[in-house]
Amino acid sequence: MNLNFVIEGDDGVPLDATVTLEDGAVTLHSRGGTLGAPNVRNTEYGAALRLLLGRLLKYSRDIHGAWVNSTRVQHLDAAARQVLFPSDLPSDAESLFTLVGRRMARVGKAPGANPEKGNRNRRLRFEVGTSSVGEISSVIRARPLSDVPRSTLRLPAGDLRQVGPEHILRAVNDLLNGKTTAPFDTSLEYDLITPDGDRLPPKAVFGLAATDALGFPVRPVNFTGGLGTPCFDLLEAAGWQMVAKASRTPVKEMLLNDADQEWAEGDPARAWHLRRERHRGVVQAKKA
C-alpha cells in the first residue's frame, strides 16, 4: 500500500507536494505538467524539498542517502542515481538543497551534455534509518491523505516507553506554567491529578513528555490514550493518578491519607507541602 501524504508549510497550510512514506524512507514525488494545465502536479516541489531537508536536520534524523527514483532512470545502478551521501553531512538545509539539485540534474545525462542543464524536480527517495511512518510524518510535518490508516501513524510501544518520570514531571510543570496543550484537545473521560489538585488532560501531558524524550514533535495521531494504553500505563507507573471526570471525591483529599489529613488539619501550607513531597510522580521524577 502506498501511504501518501502532503507536506505542511510552516503556517500549517498543506503544500502542493506529495510524499510517500514507509518505515525508514520518504519519497518526494516529482513536479510535472505545465502551469495552468489540468495535468500539473506538485507545483511546490522546491519548497517541499527545502522543508523536508530542514526538518530532518532540525530533529537530528539520520539521512543515509537520497536517490533519484524517476521511472526513466530506474534502469541505472543505485550508485549512478545517488545524489546525497552521509559524507555530505553535517550541512545546512539550503546548501544541501543546492547540492542535491545540481546532482539531480546530472543523473542519466548523455556524455557531453551540459551538466548544468537538467531536471531538478525529479522523484527523490530518502532513506532515514529505522524511523517508523508515524515518526517520519511528525518530523517532516506531513499530513496524511484520506487513504492512510490512522493505525500506521502510531509510534511503536518501544518508542513510547522511552518516556520516563522526569519527562512527565517536566511536562506537568510546563502545562501548569501556561504552556499550551495544542495540538491536543481537552480530556473527555479522565484527568491527571497534580500535587495541588489541578486537573490536566493526560494525553497532552504524555504528548509533551514524549516530545521531550524522543526529540521530535509527538502529535495526537502518534498514540492513543485511555485505560490499558501505554500512555496511561506509563503515567500511572511514574506515580501519577488518573481520575474519572465524573468523580465527586475532592481531589486534594485523595492525595493525603487519613493520618496526613489529621496532622495537617487547619494548616494549608503544611497540607500543600505534604502533597508535594508525597506525590509519587514527584518522588519518582526526583529519583530518576
Side-chain angles (χ1 to χ4, degrees):
M1 180 191 302
N2 290 330
L3 301 178
N4 292 326
F5 296 70
V6 290
I7 293 183
E8 294 181 355
D10 289 334
D11 57 1
V13 176
L15 301 179
D16 180 23
T18 302
V19 293
T20 297
L21 303 186
E22 58 190 285
D23 289 348
V26 51
T27 297
L28 175 61
H29 292 212
S30 62
R31 178 176 175 175
T34 304
L35 285 177
N39 65 339
V40 67
R41 66 180 186 276
N42 298 329
T43 59
E44 296 179 283
Y45 177 98
L49 179 55
R50 281 187 168 93
L51 289 174
L52 174 61
L53 289 166
R55 290 166 181 171
L56 289 172
L57 294 173
K58 178 179 179 180
Y59 296 110
S60 303
R61 299 300 99 181
D62 291 333
I63 304 177
H64 293 176
W67 291 259
V68 176
N69 203 34
S70 301
T71 303
R72 291 182 179 180
V73 297
Q74 284 184 355
H75 66 282
L76 299 176
D77 291 340
R81 295 185 285 112
Q82 189 165 1
V83 294
L84 185 62
F85 300 83
S87 58
D88 295 323
L89 302 167
S91 185
D92 61 277
E94 191 61 30
S95 297
L96 290 182
F97 174 84
T98 301
L99 179 65
V100 167
R102 187 168 65 246
R103 289 174 176 169
M104 191 181 348
R106 297 172 181 171
V107 172
K109 300 281 287 187
N114 188 338
E116 298 305 318
K117 291 185 178 181
N119 189 349
R120 301 189 180 206
N121 300 280
R122 303 160 94 170
R123 188 166 65 202
L124 282 178
R125 175 184 168 87
F126 291 83
E127 293 191 358
V128 291
T130 59
S131 303
S132 65
V133 168
E135 178 178 341
I136 298 170
S137 68
S138 290
V139 166
I140 68 172
R141 288 181 59 179
R143 181 182 300 184
L145 297 177
S146 58
D147 61 343
V148 175
R150 291 178 64 87
S151 59
T152 63
L153 303 180
R154 293 178 190 146
L155 297 174
D159 289 354
L160 297 178
R161 294 191 184 282
Q162 295 182 47
V163 176
E166 68 277 20
H167 305 118
I168 295 170
L169 180 58
R170 279 197 291 269
V172 167
N173 287 334
D174 283 345
L175 290 174
L176 291 176
N177 289 327
K179 187 166 186 176
T180 177
T181 61
F184 293 90
D185 295 327
T186 57
S187 54
L188 298 177
E189 298 182 35
Y190 293 91
D191 290 322
L192 177 145
I193 306 303
T194 73
D196 294 333
D198 296 302
R199 293 175 179 255
L200 297 174
K203 194 166 181 180
V205 171
F206 191 79
L208 287 180
T211 295
D212 183 15
L214 299 179
F216 64 89
V218 174
R219 303 181 298 176
V221 296
N222 293 141
F223 66 98
T224 57
L227 297 177
T229 64
C231 167
F232 270 40
D233 289 348
L234 290 167
L235 290 173
E236 292 177 330
W240 297 89
Q241 189 176 21
M242 303 306 126
V243 176
K245 281 185 171 291
S247 174
R248 298 293 182 183
T249 305
V251 172
K252 292 185 178 181
E253 292 181 11
M254 296 171 63
L255 299 175
L256 294 178
N257 59 36
D258 292 341
D260 287 339
Q261 289 186 51
E262 182 177 351
W263 184 61
E265 189 73 28
D267 190 341
R270 179 173 293 174
W272 178 87
H273 176 76
L274 277 174
R275 286 194 298 271
R276 290 290 301 179
E277 290 302 309
R278 305 227 178 145
H279 193 284
R280 289 180 55 231
V282 176
V283 172
Q284 292 196 38
K286 288 180 178 179
K287 289 181 178 178

